[in-house]
Amino acid sequence: MSPATAHRLPAGPLAGLLERIPAPAPHPHADALREEAVHWLSGTGLLDREGVERLLEQGHLELASRCWGDLPPGPALRAATQWLLLGWILDDRFDRHWLGDPSDEPDRTVRELAALLGPELDPGATPPAPATPLARAFRTLWQDSIALAGPSWRARQTADFRSYLESSLDFLRLRGATPTVPQYLSHRDQDGATRCAAGAVELAHRLDLAEQFHRHPQLVDLRTRFDHLIGWANDLCSHRVETAAGHGNNLLSSLEVHERLPRDAAAARVAALCEAELTTLEFLAEGIARGSHWPPQVRCYVRALVRFAHALLHWSATTARYRPQPVPPPRGRE
């Protein structure tokens, strides 16, 4: 995605929200980060050439370059970027390859990845040998990451990644059914994807916050707003593509089907929810960032989460990932 595209505001429900928040500037070494990430994607076998090109077209590396500020390049920044890319690749597999797949491949993959986290819970356990490029890349990334972080981060990321995997399987079991709003909200609360992204932010900045801070009510509230904002904005932007693919696990779909709201009214309601959550997130983060009684690591963390949210909102509203693909014309008789 070009810089011009990244700064072009959409004409959709998020337009009003994005008018007041700037798109974060790219990392000073954005080109080097991009080249390194492409090499990792290709070298690990995670994606073939076409898959790498699709990821580039969707602006994932552009997003990664805008998330981190001017952090110095190094192992932490590299690992955090790889976590973001791995998350999107897994999302693609759940959403596009495994939705409606009657085989047991999704379950096998989830079990394999979860087993690679096992040694974190039982240090004496022997990790299984990964059988796929995805599992091999995940194992190496996990080992690189835990070498950079302390036990608090490792325990949180283990729990959050397991939650992400299990909630993704639950989504597949819906097989396109549309949950009610309470069901949707309950499922969203269990989904660890956004918490994993917050863990990548923490890793990139080498913060490794003590558990006492993660459990503090103000930070719990802030991360809840962050989770809602990212999830609902994603629903708002991806709704057309997901509906065309038969997905039903989307807040707009829940409002349309079960609350009988017209599509425009449902979109307007979700956009208003996003606006409220962003305003509250920024307010809470500013209060913590200005609080001299908070440690510098906590103040850095909340600022970094807001920057990440701003970058992700701009990307979600402009990425080709959420643009419906044109239907090819029927082929004539040959």
Side-chain angles (χ1 to χ4, degrees):
M1 184 170 61
S2 68
T5 303
H7 289 280
R8 188 185 305 137
L9 295 181
L14 278 182
L17 183 150
L18 294 180
E19 284 176 355
R20 70 170 184 79
I21 59 173
H27 193 276
H29 301 285
D31 290 340
L33 293 176
R34 176 190 181 97
E35 182 178 346
E36 185 177 60
V38 169
H39 177 75
W40 176 72
L41 290 166
S42 302
T44 57
L46 275 171
L47 295 176
D48 57 18
R49 182 175 179 178
E50 181 181 347
V52 172
E53 290 177 353
R54 183 170 61 249
L55 206 70
L56 293 173
E57 180 189 0
Q58 293 174 352
H60 290 281
L61 294 179
E62 176 78 16
L63 166 64
S65 80
R66 294 176 182 272
C67 289
W68 315 120
D70 57 356
L71 289 175
L77 189 62
R78 181 184 311 120
T81 299
Q82 290 172 359
W83 275 115
L84 290 186
L85 297 176
L86 184 69
W88 289 119
I89 291 168
L90 271 171
D91 280 350
D92 269 347
R93 297 204 179 191
F94 281 118
D95 294 351
R96 301 184 183 188
H97 299 290
W98 292 336
L99 187 67
D101 182 358
S103 77
D104 64 347
E105 183 183 358
D107 296 86
R108 285 189 288 106
T109 301
V110 165
R111 286 197 300 270
E112 182 176 29
L113 296 183
L116 293 171
L117 296 169
E120 176 58 28
L121 302 179
D122 180 6
T126 301
T132 63
L134 172 62
R136 288 192 290 271
F138 174 81
R139 181 183 65 173
T140 301
L141 177 55
W142 180 246
Q143 291 172 338
D144 291 345
S145 300
I146 62 177
L148 297 167
S152 294
W153 183 90
R154 296 197 300 267
R156 284 193 301 272
Q157 198 73 354
T158 296
D160 290 340
F161 201 83
R162 285 178 179 273
S163 177
Y164 162 65
L165 291 173
E166 291 300 325
S167 64
S168 296
L169 277 183
D170 289 342
F171 161 68
L172 291 181
R173 294 181 183 115
L174 289 172
R175 299 300 181 197
T178 302
T180 65
V181 172
Q183 287 171 336
Y184 168 91
L185 295 175
S186 177
H187 181 269
R188 172 66 68 184
D189 285 344
Q190 300 302 315
D191 185 353
T194 305
R195 296 194 299 274
C196 287
V201 172
E202 187 177 349
L203 180 66
H205 289 263
R206 298 294 299 272
L207 297 174
D208 201 18
L209 301 182
E211 200 60 28
Q212 70 187 78
F213 296 118
H214 272 271
R215 290 197 303 263
H216 193 283
Q218 284 181 258
L219 281 181
V220 170
D221 191 11
L222 181 141
R223 281 196 307 275
T224 299
R225 309 294 180 170
F226 177 80
D227 194 0
H228 290 168
L229 171 65
I230 299 307
W232 298 342
N234 180 273
D235 282 357
L236 195 60
C237 296
S238 66
H239 179 253
R240 287 189 300 166
V241 171
E242 291 184 353
T243 300
H247 296 208
N249 192 30
N250 185 295
L251 182 55
L252 271 77
S253 297
S254 295
L255 290 170
E256 285 184 88
V257 172
H258 297 286
E259 304 295 323
R260 301 190 182 280
L261 287 183
R263 180 163 298 183
D264 288 347
R269 178 175 292 186
V270 176
L273 290 170
C274 291
E275 176 72 37
E277 293 296 75
L278 176 62
T279 299
T280 305
L281 172 69
E282 292 172 329
F283 175 79
L284 293 172
E286 184 67 14
I288 294 172
R290 289 175 175 269
S292 59
H293 59 290
W294 290 100
Q297 295 94 327
V298 174
R299 285 182 272 166
C300 174
Y301 176 65
V302 299
R303 289 191 180 104
L305 281 184
V306 171
R307 180 189 179 95
F308 183 91
H310 287 176
L312 195 56
L313 287 171
H314 277 273
W315 173 84
S316 297
T318 56
T319 177
R321 181 185 181 92
Y322 298 142
R323 295 179 200 151
Q325 298 301 308
V327 178
R331 297 176 61 185
R333 293 183 178 178
E334 299 181 359

